[in-house]
Amino acid sequence: MLAYVGGYTSKDRNGRGDGINVYRVDEVSGAWTHVQCLGELVNPSWLALDRRRPVLYAAHGEGHEATAYAIEPGTGRLRVLNRQPTQGKNGVRLGIEASDRYLVCANYSSGTVAVLAIEPDGSLGALRDLVPLAGKTGPHPTEQTSAHPHDVAFDPRGRFCLIPDKGLDAVFVFRVDEGGKLVPARPASVASRPGAGPRHAGFHPTGPFAYVLNELDSTLTTYRFDADTGALEPRQTITTLPPAWSGRNTTSEIAVAPSGRFVYASNRGHDSVVIFAVEPATGTLRPMGWEPTQGKTPRFIGLDPAGAALYAANQDSDTIVAFRVDQQSGTLTPTGQVVAVGSPSTIVFR
């Protein structure tokens, strides 16, 4: 198995990374062996893999473009295919719709969602659509002064994508039409609690449920998701923090187990992963515990494709820490594997 790690490199983002790092992961021992560092990149802070072609895509924090990289057969090494402007600033997340013809990018700082064509060889084509998000800003005096789309999460069929907007306290829902245009669902969005700051989203693999992690108030909301219309209906909002915690915290990343039995979310401040059990009939969540990430500011957490291991990328302590997942209880146990890498913020597995 190959792991691709992106992160922050620029001084204005306190970046200590050196590009995209490629590792080979031993599926028996769990050991990571460094294969390549593709350097001279500015903040490759979010990565996404093409499902059909050997191609990796990157959004660049504080940047104005997306990049496509070809993956070398056998070795997994990367080379740049091309770059395309997103006509927005600070791309923070990418998603690919079901046909693999279009890449969707959330431009956090400019409050827009961009669609780029994907060419047959996996390179990026011209911009097909650019949609500014509009609505009432939330009450936070500094974090909610304008629209801030923060994720592009496609449903399991790849038809609808959720765009949580931290600035507008709303989750927008779109589908991508044949021409690469974003078409709003009906309704086009659902409001969160004031000041919640929706950040990232994930879907249940088989049930009609979606989960949205709220950054600013450290909560997670369960929605019933209509796969035919894209409509979201809120069912539950639950804290990501233990009852005794009174310190500062923001949430960051969400991961839904392939089994659909557990949902994980990372806390920055408490520096932990919260483990939720999923109630099968309703999709609602019950907290099972909190596991320290053994580092500072877990900006990213991710499960391997089998759901057997969870990795926490501790952005401010420059480590990736591995945990073994108990498939029956959902609990996490540190494996002892710690990978040193500067300012990690995303991991994808191939």
Side-chain angles (χ1 to χ4, degrees):
M1 185 170 66
L2 292 161
Y4 297 86
V5 178
Y8 286 90
T9 64
S10 65
K11 291 183 179 179
D12 61 330
R13 294 302 300 264
N14 195 30
R16 294 169 301 281
D18 51 7
I20 299 175
N21 283 278
V22 185
Y23 298 86
R24 187 169 297 279
V25 183
D26 187 291
E27 295 186 50
V28 176
S29 69
W32 286 37
T33 302
H34 193 257
V35 173
Q36 179 193 20
C37 174
L38 187 65
E40 299 183 359
L41 305 176
V42 178
N43 299 330
S45 52
W46 180 254
L47 306 178
L49 280 167
D50 193 300
R51 289 182 294 269
R52 302 178 188 177
R53 292 166 285 235
V55 178
L56 179 76
Y57 302 99
H60 299 271
E62 301 302 332
H64 301 80
E65 62 184 12
T67 307
Y69 306 90
I71 300 173
E72 183 179 280
T75 68
R77 293 173 63 89
L78 301 174
R79 63 176 175 84
V80 176
L81 272 177
N82 75 328
R83 298 181 173 91
Q84 284 285 3
T86 63
Q87 302 299 323
K89 184 180 179 182
N90 194 10
V92 291
R93 207 75 163 191
L94 301 172
I96 302 171
E97 49 77 47
S99 72
D100 282 332
R101 296 171 55 203
Y102 301 109
L103 182 78
V104 182
C105 177
N107 291 315
Y108 178 90
S109 295
S110 54
T112 58
V113 183
V115 181
L116 297 170
I118 299 177
E119 302 297 343
D121 66 350
S123 61
L124 291 171
L127 187 80
R128 292 297 183 89
D129 202 7
L130 185 68
V131 174
L133 299 185
K136 182 181 178 181
T137 55
H140 196 287
T142 59
E143 296 290 334
Q144 295 185 305
T145 58
S146 64
H148 290 313
H150 214 310
D151 197 2
V152 180
F154 275 95
D155 70 68
R157 294 161 57 186
R159 185 181 180 199
F160 290 101
C161 63
L162 305 188
I163 311 288
D165 192 299
K166 184 175 117 178
L168 301 182
D169 278 333
V171 181
F172 292 83
V173 186
F174 295 96
R175 63 179 178 86
V176 183
D177 71 11
E178 285 292 316
K181 300 295 184 181
L182 289 169
V183 179
R186 295 185 181 181
S189 66
V190 60
S192 68
R193 290 179 177 180
R199 177 183 173 92
H200 288 169
F203 283 91
H204 193 281
T206 56
F209 314 118
Y211 301 98
V212 175
L213 188 62
N214 302 304
E215 176 180 333
L216 299 179
D217 70 356
S218 298
T219 62
L220 196 157
T221 301
T222 300
Y223 293 90
R224 186 169 183 85
F225 171 70
D226 188 320
D228 294 322
T229 66
L232 294 171
E233 179 187 349
R235 291 295 180 89
Q236 176 198 39
T237 296
I238 188 169
T239 181
T240 65
L241 293 167
W245 176 257
S246 59
R248 297 184 65 180
N249 188 77
T250 57
T251 64
S252 184
E253 187 59 273
I254 184 171
V256 182
S259 66
R261 296 180 59 192
F262 305 102
V263 174
Y264 302 90
S266 64
N267 289 302
R268 298 176 294 181
H270 191 247
D271 291 337
S272 67
V273 177
V274 57
I275 305 156
F276 293 107
V278 177
E279 202 289 313
T282 64
T284 54
L285 304 177
R286 175 170 52 91
M288 301 292 289
W290 289 262
E291 181 66 34
T293 63
Q294 302 189 15
K296 188 176 180 182
T297 318
R299 185 181 182 92
F300 176 86
I301 59 170
L303 293 158
D304 71 1
L310 181 142
Y311 296 89
N314 294 304
Q315 182 180 2
D316 289 334
S317 53
D318 302 329
T319 58
I320 296 170
V321 178
F323 299 85
R324 186 177 299 107
V325 178
D326 186 303
Q327 303 283 359
Q328 298 304 311
S329 67
T331 56
L332 305 174
T333 303
T335 68
Q337 293 286 345
V338 178
V339 179
V341 59
S343 305
S345 62
T346 177
I347 310 167
V348 293
F349 297 98
R350 183 173 187 266

